[in-house]
Amino acid sequence: PMRVLTLTQETTQAMSIELARIDRQAIDLQAGMFLTLVVSIEGQEHRRAYSISSACQQQQTVTVTIKRVKDGKVSNYLLDHIKVGDTLPVLGPSGAFVLDQTARQASSLLLVGGGSGITPLMSMIRSLLAEAQSPQITLLYANRCFAEVIFAQDLIAFANQHPQRLRIAHVLEQVDNNIDAAQGLLDKTMFSQQLTRLFGEQLPKDLQIFICGPSPMMLGIQDELAQRAWPK
C-alpha cells in the first residue's frame, strides 16, 4: 500500500502522482522502471502499469506520471478522482527498460520520446543529472504541440543548469513562432534528419539509444536504425 503525497498537473492532460510506502520503507528502483497501480472502479479491480518519472536516488518517494487516454478507464478515473491522502495497492517497481552499466559508461545517450513516452526517459535524465558524471544526454522529444510537452519547464531548467550534459530537440506537429522545433511527425525520415543534425554524418560508436513512444514512431525509428546496421 502507498499513500498519495502530492499531485502535479504537468499539462491539461497529464498529471504526476507522488507516492510513498505506508510503512515508510525505502523504494528500490532503477531509472526506467514502472509501477503497477491497483485501482477499484465500481467494485471491479483494475491493474495498470505507469512508468516512474522520478530519480532512482529518491528512495523515500516515487512519482508516476499519467496521461489521459481516450476511453482509458483507469487513467481517466485516476486523473478525475485521485486525491492527496488516498491510498493505493501498488506492485513493483518492475521492468527491464533501464539504464544498465553499458549505458552509464557510454560517452553519449540518445533518448527518443513521443508523448507520454517521456516518462521513463525523464527518470533516466533526473537520475543521471543527480550523479557527478554522466554520458552526454540528447533528448529528442515529439509531441503534437508545445502545450502538450510533459515536463516542459523542468526540461528547460535542466538544459539551462547542465548545458554540457543535456541538450533537447523538439519535434512538433504544430510549431509556435517562439518555439525552436522541427515541424512534422517523428517518423523514419524525420528521425534520420534529426540524427544528422544532432550528431553529424557519423554517430558516436558507443552511443546508446532508448526509445519510448507510440508504436508507429518506434517502428519508424527502428527501421532507420536497422537500415544503418545499428546493433539491436
Side-chain angles (χ1 to χ4, degrees):
M2 302 189 85
R3 178 172 287 115
V4 177
L5 298 183
T6 64
L7 300 172
T8 303
Q9 198 73 44
E10 303 290 356
T11 70
T12 58
Q13 301 297 313
M15 178 186 289
S16 289
I17 303 172
E18 184 185 22
L19 301 160
R21 286 175 53 147
I22 297 293
D23 60 12
R24 300 186 180 182
Q25 293 297 306
I27 303 157
D28 186 20
L29 62 95
Q30 296 182 64
M33 286 184 163
F34 62 89
L35 295 179
T36 300
L37 306 189
V38 183
V39 182
S40 293
I41 304 174
E42 298 175 353
Q44 186 172 358
E45 182 181 283
H46 302 269
R47 299 185 179 196
R48 294 291 187 276
Y50 296 107
S51 292
I52 294 165
S53 56
S54 50
C56 63
Q57 297 91 340
Q58 190 176 319
Q59 294 189 323
Q60 293 307 309
T61 67
V62 63
T63 300
V64 294
T65 302
I66 301 173
K67 185 177 180 180
R68 189 178 297 277
V69 179
K70 184 180 179 182
D71 300 324
K73 191 176 187 73
V74 177
S75 60
N76 293 342
Y77 178 86
L78 286 169
L79 294 180
D80 290 337
H81 296 285
I82 199 162
K83 304 183 300 300
V84 171
D86 285 353
T87 59
L88 288 170
V90 178
L91 305 173
S94 312
F97 184 71
V98 296
L99 288 172
D100 58 15
Q101 279 304 109
T102 302
R104 289 178 177 277
Q105 293 170 0
S107 63
S108 297
L109 290 182
L110 172 59
L111 311 180
V112 189
S116 59
I118 185 64
T119 308
L121 306 181
M122 192 62 172
S123 178
M124 294 178 183
I125 291 170
R126 285 173 165 151
S127 299
L128 288 167
L129 294 181
E131 298 174 359
Q133 292 184 314
S134 70
Q136 185 184 57
I137 308 162
T138 299
L139 173 65
L140 180 58
Y141 188 16
N143 284 279
R144 192 173 64 86
C145 60
F146 193 74
E148 294 186 9
V149 173
I150 304 173
F151 311 120
Q153 297 309 310
D154 287 340
L155 289 170
I156 291 170
F158 285 151
N160 289 335
Q161 292 164 9
H162 305 278
Q164 304 304 314
R165 300 174 68 186
L166 173 66
R167 59 177 176 168
I168 300 169
H170 291 282
V171 176
L172 302 175
E173 294 177 48
Q174 304 168 16
V175 179
D176 301 329
N177 291 334
N178 59 338
I179 301 299
D180 181 18
Q183 184 167 13
L185 292 170
L186 187 52
D187 55 12
K188 181 179 185 294
T189 300
M190 176 67 78
F191 179 64
S192 179
Q193 294 170 354
Q194 292 300 306
L195 278 183
T196 301
R197 185 177 76 84
L198 293 166
F199 296 100
E201 294 300 326
Q202 192 69 37
L203 297 179
K205 288 184 178 179
D206 66 342
L207 178 68
Q208 296 286 307
I209 304 174
F210 289 79
I211 313 163
C212 189
S215 293
M217 182 201 87
M218 293 183 57
L219 290 171
I221 291 171
Q222 290 167 351
D223 189 33
E224 175 61 25
L225 290 172
Q227 192 170 315
R228 292 172 179 242
W230 198 256
K232 287 186 178 181

